Amino acid sequence: MNDRRLRCRAPRADPRARVVCFPHAGGTAGPYAAWGAALDGRTELSAVQYPGREERIEEPPPHDLDALLSGVCRALLPLAGRPLVLFGHSLGAVVAYETARRLTRQGAPPARLVVSGRRAPCVPVTGDLHTRSDDALVAELARLGATSAELLAEPAFRTVYLPAVRADFALAETYRYAPAGPLPCPVTAVIGAADTEVDHDQASRWAAHTTGAFTLHTVPGGHFWFVPDDTGVLHLLRTVAHEASRPVPSESETPA
C-alpha cells in the first residue's frame, strides 16, 4: 500500500477482512495503525491519515468535510474487494459514517460500521471551541486526555499541532446531518460509562441509521476509554472483523 492517506503497519498478503480506523480530532494515524499487529494474520488494519499532520504536515488541515471524504473514498475503493470494517472515534465516527454513506452510493458498502465516543448523526451538535484561543483548545485536550500535558506545554509542539486540532474541531462542531436512507450494514456503537461528550440515549440513536443489526456497548472509562489499555478495543475489532469475513449464506442456504 503506497498512499499517504492510509497507514498500514502490518499488511496481509491475503486478508479475509480489512479494518480501517478514523482518528479523533487532532489525532494521527500512528496510534491506531499500531493496533494492526495485534489482530490475527488474516485481518489487515489501516488508519486514515488526515492532512496537516505527520507525513502530510505540509498539506493544509481539513476545512471541508466533502473534500476530505472524497480523498478517503478514493483511497478505500481499491481495498473494497475484501469486507471493510470502518472504525471511527469521536470526530472519526462522523468521518467513518459519512465515508460509509459515500461508499454505499458508489456500490461498495462496508461490512460493518463501528462508532465510538460520538452521538448519532441525527442528534444536533453544538460548540465553539474551534473559535476560541489556543489556551482554551489546550485545556480541552487536557480535559479529554487526548494528548499528554508535557507535549501540550511545549510551544514548538503547539505551533505545529494546534492548527490541525482547530480545523478538526471545526469539522466536528459544524457538522450537520443531511437526512438520507439508512446504511445497509450493521452498526456497533461504543461509549465510555464516564464519557462527558455522549450519553446512552444519544448513542442509542445510531440505531436509526442502519437497516442492519445495531449494538451499543457501554464500557468502563471516559471519552478515550481505550487509553491507556487497548485490550477492549482490540477484542472488539477482532470480533467484528471475524464476523465480517464470514460468507453470506445464499437464499437456498438460509434456514426457513
Side-chain angles (χ1 to χ4, degrees):
M1 182 183 302
N2 185 22
D3 192 320
R4 294 199 304 171
R5 292 168 295 197
L6 294 176
R7 183 181 292 182
C8 180
R9 290 188 177 177
R12 311 301 191 195
D14 184 26
R16 288 178 298 190
R18 290 186 167 104
V19 176
V20 181
C21 297
F22 294 74
H24 56 278
T28 66
Y32 292 87
W35 293 344
L39 302 184
D40 68 77
R42 296 295 303 279
T43 301
E44 183 176 87
L45 183 144
S46 301
V48 174
Q49 187 73 286
Y50 305 143
R53 59 214 81 193
E54 294 185 340
E55 65 266 36
R56 302 186 70 186
I57 191 66
E58 78 285 357
E59 301 177 47
H63 293 284
D64 180 78
L65 181 60
D66 187 67
L68 178 62
L69 293 170
S70 294
V72 170
C73 288
R74 282 196 299 270
L76 293 186
L77 279 172
L79 307 183
R82 296 289 189 273
L84 283 179
V85 175
L86 308 185
F87 170 88
H89 178 67
S90 199
L91 167 66
V94 170
V95 183
Y97 166 69
E98 291 293 345
T99 297
R101 293 175 79 180
R102 186 167 294 207
L103 289 175
T104 299
R105 292 196 299 269
Q106 295 176 357
R112 175 78 66 103
L113 174 66
V114 183
V115 288
S116 167
R118 178 78 184 198
R119 62 188 67 185
C122 58
V123 181
V125 174
T126 58
D128 63 354
L129 267 170
H130 67 284
T131 66
R132 296 189 193 176
S133 67
D134 286 354
D135 287 342
L137 281 177
V138 166
E140 179 67 5
L141 293 171
R143 183 185 72 83
L144 293 173
T147 311
S148 72
E150 292 78 7
L151 279 176
L152 290 172
E154 290 288 338
F157 177 78
R158 289 171 60 154
T159 298
V160 173
Y161 181 58
L162 289 187
V165 173
R166 189 177 298 281
D168 289 356
F169 269 105
L171 289 181
E173 293 176 338
T174 62
Y175 171 76
R176 297 295 179 266
Y177 169 64
L183 294 170
C185 65
V187 173
T188 298
V190 191
I191 59 171
D195 193 342
T196 58
E197 307 306 299
V198 55
D199 61 31
H200 184 276
D201 178 65
Q202 293 167 339
S204 66
R205 293 179 67 181
W206 278 101
H209 296 279
T210 177
T211 58
F214 173 73
T215 308
L216 172 60
H217 299 288
T218 301
V219 298
H223 188 59
F224 285 90
W225 55 273
F226 49 82
V227 177
D229 183 1
D230 60 11
T231 304
V233 71
L234 290 173
H235 175 73
L236 173 63
L237 294 179
R238 280 192 290 264
T239 299
V240 296
H242 176 71
E243 292 172 352
S245 67
R246 292 175 181 167
V248 178
S250 65
E251 292 186 7
S252 61
E253 297 172 326
T254 303

